[in-house]
Each structure stands twice: as C-alpha cells, then as structure tokens.
Amino acid sequence: MDCLCCWSVSKPLYLLLLFYFFSFTAKAAFNLSTISFDEGYSPLFGDGNLVRSPDGRSARLLLDRFTGAGFISSRMYRYGFFSANIKLPGYYTAGLCVAFYTSNADAFKKNHDELDIEFLGNTNGEPWRIQTNLYGNGSTGHGREERYRLWFDPSKEFHRYSILWTAKNIM
C-alpha cells in the first residue's frame, strides 16, 4: 500500500506506550469512552517513575539521568482509538527516543507488526524530529519509516498524538 497513513493489519497488537507524559481522555468530538490506567495498563519498567493521577485517568512518566518509565496494555486490541497528550523534555535530549507505539511482538516473535510514533532526541536550538514507522511481518520491507521536522516546539506545551485503528485502516 502506498499510503503512509493507511495500513491494513490482520493480527491483534499489544498497545505498548513509552513516553514522557500520557493522558487517557478522548476528546468529545470522537464520542469515545475511556478506561482508567489500572484497568487497561501495567507497568513495563521504571514503575518508580510512573506517577498516576489522583483520579486514575492519566499517568505521568518521569525521566531522570538513569531511567524513564514504560507501560503496556493489559490485553490485546484489534481496533481502537489510542491517544496521548505528550510534552517532551525541554533540555538536551540527544540519544533519547520518546515513543508511543503498538506492537504484537509478544505474540508473534519472528514476524510481528508494529506502528510507531517516535520523537527523536534533540540538541538545544535544533528543530525537533518525529519519526513514524509501519512494520508488517517483522520487516521494514513490509512497511515504511518516515521522518519529519516539526514546525513547533513539542517541549513548550502538551500536544495530542493519536492513532485511529479501524478494520480497514490505521490513521
């Protein structure tokens, strides 16, 4: 398929999320229900750097010199709307990759599918880059990888990044 924003899948994916800040509230425009963090996710690593909000609807991931944090969905999803409010760290982040992605690598070790939104580390004064990856059957030959320079500074405020996954397309 030639379209970067549309990709068909046949296997369910685990929703794996690694990033600095995360919010689970779906906008009213989509008319979607949400779940609490503990209902839908489990810590993957850095549990001490994972801070749940008092209402249980969101989590903040802390990043320090030695570690960050990550969490994984408690169940597999075939389709859905996955959205995150992300604010990137505003200091020197060269070598850091903040990611929001889906993967079914736990279920399909040798030919997994993956859909990524990655923010590549930055040096002060340089434009931020975002990378999108679509992998099918464990290979970039069955997908695409694209990089874009952002026209805004994602470390200044929260921005919403979303994946809408239907039976026919991923956008």
Side-chain angles (χ1 to χ4, degrees):
M1 189 176 259
D2 292 329
C3 180
L4 173 64
C5 63
C6 302
W7 188 47
S8 298
V9 295
S10 59
K11 297 179 284 210
L13 301 175
Y14 278 107
L15 179 65
L16 179 62
L17 308 166
L18 302 170
F19 50 84
Y20 190 60
F21 287 102
F22 187 84
S23 174
F24 299 98
T25 57
K27 293 288 186 194
F30 292 105
N31 193 24
L32 299 171
S33 62
T34 60
I35 58 175
S36 72
F37 181 85
D38 289 331
E39 278 181 275
Y41 304 95
S42 302
L44 184 62
F45 67 91
D47 192 24
N49 287 357
L50 181 63
V51 181
R52 290 163 185 82
S53 66
D55 67 1
R57 306 301 283 175
S58 63
R60 180 177 175 184
L61 283 68
L62 305 177
L63 177 67
D64 60 34
R65 263 183 82 184
F66 305 104
T67 188
F71 53 90
I72 189 168
S73 61
S74 301
R75 56 176 264 221
M76 293 183 75
Y77 295 91
R78 186 166 295 274
Y79 311 113
F81 178 76
F82 307 98
S83 189
N85 276 338
I86 301 173
K87 181 180 176 185
L88 297 176
Y91 45 86
Y92 182 87
T93 58
L96 177 70
C97 180
V98 176
F100 171 58
Y101 68 99
T102 64
S103 174
N104 62 1
D106 289 347
F108 300 94
K109 300 262 186 229
K110 296 195 184 223
N111 66 341
H112 75 282
D113 299 319
E114 194 171 299
L115 174 65
D116 304 355
I117 299 173
E118 298 176 345
F119 301 90
L120 306 177
N122 195 25
T123 57
N124 292 335
E126 294 296 317
W128 280 87
R129 292 171 295 147
I130 187 171
Q131 179 168 306
T132 59
N133 302 313
L134 301 172
Y135 300 121
N137 295 319
S139 168
T140 56
H142 295 98
R144 297 179 71 121
E145 188 173 290
E146 297 287 338
R147 283 189 184 174
Y148 305 95
R149 285 182 184 235
L150 295 176
W151 59 96
F152 60 91
D153 185 347
S155 69
K156 296 293 183 200
E157 59 187 352
F158 285 93
H159 296 274
R160 181 169 293 282
Y161 304 91
S162 303
I163 297 170
L164 176 59
W165 180 6
T166 69
K168 295 187 180 191
N169 299 306
I170 294 177
M171 297 179 278

